[in-house]
Amino acid sequence: MTKGIESLARWGRKGCDASESLGRAGIFLAQSAVAVPSREGLRLWLHQVYFVGVLSLAIVLVSGLFIGMVLALQGYTILVDFGAEQALGQMVALSLLRELAPVVAALLFAGRAGSALTAEIGLMKATEQLTSMEMIGVDPLRRIVAPRLWAGFVSLPILTVGFSVVGIWGGYLVGVEWLGVFEGSYWSNMQASVSFLDDVGNGIIKSLVFALVVTWIAVFQGYDLVPTSEGISRATTRTVVYSSLAVLGLDFVLTVVMFGGLS
Amino acid sequence: MTDVPFVEIEDLHFTFGGREVFRGINMAIPYGRITAIMGPSGTGKTTLLKLIGGQLTPDSGRVLIDGQDVHRLSRKALFELRKRMGMLFQSGALFSDLDVFENVAFPLRVHTDLPEPMIRDLVLLKLQSVGLRGARTLTPAELSGGMARRVALARAVALDPELILYDEPFVGQDPISMGVLVELIRRLSQALELTSIVVSHDIKETLSIADYVYLISDGKVVAEGTPKSLDTHADPRVSQFVHGEPDGPVPFHYPAPDFYSDILDDATASGGHP
Ligand SMILES: Nc1ncnc2c1ncn2[C@@H]1O[C@H](COP(=O)(O)OP(=O)(O)OP(=O)(O)O)[C@@H](O)[C@H]1O
Ligand SMILES: [Mg+2]
């Protein structure tokens, strides 16, 4: 009996802790997202776009190419059984735009940029750089966190678009150049079936949501961690785990909302 | 002392995860003077500076700086107040992505609109005063601990603050730079009428520059007075500390069970921490 109550209490405490840290994360987001635009702010932001976005470009594009090629190969072997290999372009484009590009790019982004953000901010905290910045009278939420948050928010959607473009090109290489699907039908089927608003637009909305969530998790984990070397390694792991789960979970929800009604 | 206090600490209580660090501290730190805070390692001197700077919030009690209650200010007002303070961190806490020059220039760049040549002159002036003008292009990773602390000092005084908090300014300095730093702190305080709070273990140096000394131990102020009056203080705890004697009423050890029984326990339990 007491055992049951104890475990109930433990779950309750866990719930309280979770909602408390969610609350802290929310306040944190609200305080750091309001960045007053200034020339200095723009400079810091561009610097972070380079670190967060440009440096992730290679891994995202290469992955996009391979995923597009694999999609075409797998899709072809199925479609050809029904004599429908003309629809290969449509299949590759829709899978990429609706699902694979936003999700895979976000997962790669969490591993490449998110973990780096957490470790960087965490190390700044552990070496008292954030505290000394506060004592100089500069708010680290504005100076350190905001540029990184906005850089992530802008970079991931652009990376996602790059992922799709390269993926479609990879599909073309395998499908048309290698397996001999008629080039005209690859492109025209794609053009006829992809709706700019429903497919491209929704894909971008997805990636905006993922960008916010992944970057938010990454910077918050860095800012909130226990300032020791163990704390930094734990927080970096948490960033990758939490953001991957959040991306996959949110993807399901967003897919239901966006495409659940499509037939 | 009859001077107007610039920093007032009233009945400050503070706990760190169940450990009572302060149990009612009162201090009045006069304007334009050097006040030293001394005490055994781990008594909470760094913690006290962080409470004064508004980094930590006390359980009860107040800290007033120039009449403003630090812990009741809005975030914005607190950052305004901090522009008037400089703090030298025990670890230096230099920004690792900026070189020495940019570290010292940082407060000037964010809080003033000075033209670039003026910033350059000011930074070189500050670096010259800590003897590191030649090290301006080094990154913090390339500095020794003592050098890093001197750069941090130059950064802390870059904006000519009204109040400076020094956390262990003398640690890791050779006798020459120690002498220079002592002189620098004294000169800053006298020439610019800075209010300085110095936390230090280096009794001789600290007593030589301080106008007033607070000795804290065990969460309380155990003695206060001018360096002279402490030197001949009646309390044995005070004279033990001031004269650096190992044996006396102030314990050297962090609270622990009896050493002898601790060792016997270990033998019977055959290793492993309790
Ligand atoms: N982040 C923290 N969490 C929990 N306890 C802490 C923390 N920081 C300090 N303490 C505890 O608070 C007490 C005071 O620490 P503080 O660093 O202020 O000491 P100090 O007087 O500056 O020591 P030293 O002279 O060695 O620098 C110590 O007993 C320490 O164990
Ligand atoms: Mg200390």
Side-chain angles (χ1 to χ4, degrees):
Chain A
M1 184 62 202
T2 43
K3 225 181 185 148
I5 291 177
E6 256 172 37
S7 80
L8 195 68
R10 208 166 41 241
W11 279 103
R13 208 167 314 129
K14 271 199 181 141
C16 288
D17 285 352
S19 54
E20 194 218 316
S21 77
L22 201 65
R24 250 181 311 139
I27 295 171
F28 168 85
L29 181 66
Q31 279 177 340
S32 45
V34 281
V36 193
S38 65
R39 246 187 51 202
E40 180 64 7
L42 190 69
R43 192 183 66 79
L44 291 169
W45 177 74
L46 281 174
H47 198 67
Q48 289 308 318
V49 168
Y50 175 76
F51 274 111
V52 168
V54 177
L55 293 184
S56 308
L57 201 59
I59 183 178
V60 167
L61 293 188
V62 170
S63 309
L65 182 69
F66 280 119
I67 290 204
M69 295 194 328
V70 167
L71 264 183
L73 202 54
Q74 291 280 13
Y76 181 83
T77 57
I78 295 169
L79 291 175
V80 81
D81 285 345
F82 303 96
E85 68 270 24
Q86 309 307 326
L88 188 66
Q90 166 185 3
M91 196 221 88
V92 169
L94 287 183
S95 332
L96 279 171
L97 292 171
R98 289 184 181 179
E99 285 299 331
L100 286 169
V103 172
V104 177
L107 294 179
L108 292 169
F109 186 77
R112 167 66 184 74
S115 58
L117 284 177
T118 304
E120 186 192 18
I121 296 179
L123 201 64
M124 286 185 182
K125 181 174 182 180
T127 52
E128 295 199 296
Q129 295 183 46
L130 297 183
T131 327
S132 73
M133 187 170 280
E134 283 184 3
M135 287 304 301
I136 290 172
V138 175
D139 189 344
L141 291 182
R142 299 270 166 82
R143 173 100 193 175
I144 301 289
V145 174
R148 286 165 174 75
L149 196 65
W150 284 107
F153 186 65
V154 172
S155 299
L156 181 52
I158 296 174
L159 290 171
T160 302
V161 171
F163 188 103
S164 298
V165 171
V166 172
I168 289 169
W169 181 62
Y172 165 85
L173 285 183
V174 167
V176 177
E177 301 279 337
W178 182 25
L179 299 172
V181 174
F182 179 53
E183 180 172 0
S185 57
Y186 184 84
W187 295 118
S188 65
N189 252 319
M190 193 185 299
Q191 228 168 25
S193 61
V194 172
S195 136
F196 187 78
L197 219 60
D198 280 336
D199 301 318
V200 180
N202 278 338
I204 287 182
I205 292 176
K206 273 188 178 180
S207 79
L208 282 171
V209 173
F210 298 160
L212 179 68
V213 171
V214 171
T215 332
W216 178 21
I217 289 176
V219 290
F220 179 70
Q221 290 296 339
Y223 194 79
D224 200 51
L225 54 69
V226 183
T228 58
S229 41
E230 198 197 359
I232 293 176
S233 84
R234 276 168 190 256
T236 312
T237 310
R238 268 203 306 271
T239 291
V240 176
V241 172
Y242 288 0
S243 35
S244 304
L245 290 178
V247 164
L248 295 171
L250 278 171
D251 182 54
F252 177 71
V253 175
L254 288 172
T255 304
V256 168
V257 173
M258 289 169 171
F259 303 104
L262 296 183
S263 49
Chain B
M1 276 210 172
T2 52
D3 307 64
V4 215
F6 188 67
V7 181
E8 281 178 277
I9 298 172
E10 292 171 5
D11 194 30
L12 197 71
H13 288 256
F14 183 74
T15 338
F16 243 139
R19 195 179 125 74
E20 270 193 311
V21 181
F22 295 123
R23 297 177 294 154
I25 294 250
N26 288 290
M27 288 184 183
I29 287 154
Y31 177 83
R33 299 297 171 86
I34 300 177
T35 305
I37 297 174
M38 309 217 286
S41 181
T43 35
K45 301 180 297 298
T46 300
T47 308
L48 184 61
L49 292 187
K50 286 188 175 165
L51 283 162
I52 295 175
Q55 298 286 337
L56 298 171
T57 310
D59 299 338
S60 68
R62 304 196 297 169
V63 176
L64 301 175
I65 297 182
D66 202 14
Q68 293 173 279
D69 186 339
V70 175
H71 302 100
R72 274 181 215 285
L73 293 174
S74 67
R75 197 175 166 84
K76 197 159 170 245
L78 180 62
F79 278 99
E80 275 310 307
L81 181 64
R82 282 179 181 156
K83 289 184 196 170
R84 300 165 56 194
M85 309 161 61
M87 179 157 175
L88 175 65
F89 281 80
Q90 202 165 354
S91 58
L94 295 173
F95 302 132
S96 50
D97 53 340
L98 302 177
D99 65 11
V100 165
F101 182 95
E102 286 302 322
N103 260 286
V104 181
F106 182 83
L108 296 165
R109 291 200 197 285
V110 292
H111 290 318
T112 68
D113 288 324
L114 295 175
E116 191 55 36
M118 201 125 142
I119 289 187
R120 194 185 124 87
D121 290 351
L122 281 172
V123 171
L124 293 185
L125 200 72
K126 303 292 178 195
L127 281 175
Q128 171 76 11
S129 65
V130 295
L132 289 175
R133 188 165 48 86
R136 76 188 97 152
T137 56
L138 300 183
T139 63
E142 295 168 325
L143 300 175
S144 74
M147 287 162 83
R149 199 167 293 106
R150 279 191 278 159
V151 174
L153 177 58
R155 185 181 66 181
V157 298
L159 278 176
D160 294 328
E162 297 164 53
L163 169 68
I164 305 199
L165 314 173
Y166 300 95
D167 197 352
E168 311 279 4
F170 307 126
V171 169
Q173 303 297 339
D174 59 76
I176 300 172
S177 44
M178 177 106 102
V180 173
L181 285 187
V182 168
E183 204 38 54
L184 183 69
I185 291 174
R186 198 202 318 262
R187 210 178 54 230
L188 283 170
S189 149
Q190 283 170 355
L192 304 173
E193 290 236 304
L194 291 182
T195 307
S196 317
I197 302 179
V198 183
V199 161
S200 178
H201 287 127
D202 294 274
I203 297 164
K204 192 165 76 61
E205 284 72 23
T206 313
L207 291 185
S208 77
I209 49 170
D211 294 301
Y212 202 75
V213 181
Y214 284 94
L215 199 58
I216 54 176
S217 174
D218 213 11
K220 296 232 178 234
V221 174
V222 289
E224 58 177 288
T226 58
K228 247 201 198 88
S229 72
L230 284 190
D231 212 26
T232 54
H233 205 279
D235 190 331
R237 289 180 299 180
V238 177
S239 58
Q240 183 205 346
F241 189 82
V242 173
H243 298 117
E245 291 149 5
D247 273 323
V250 181
F252 163 68
H253 297 281
Y254 192 88
D258 177 52
F259 188 46
Y260 187 63
S261 59
D262 225 8
I263 289 197
L264 280 185
D265 271 1
D266 207 37
T268 48
S270 72
H273 300 296

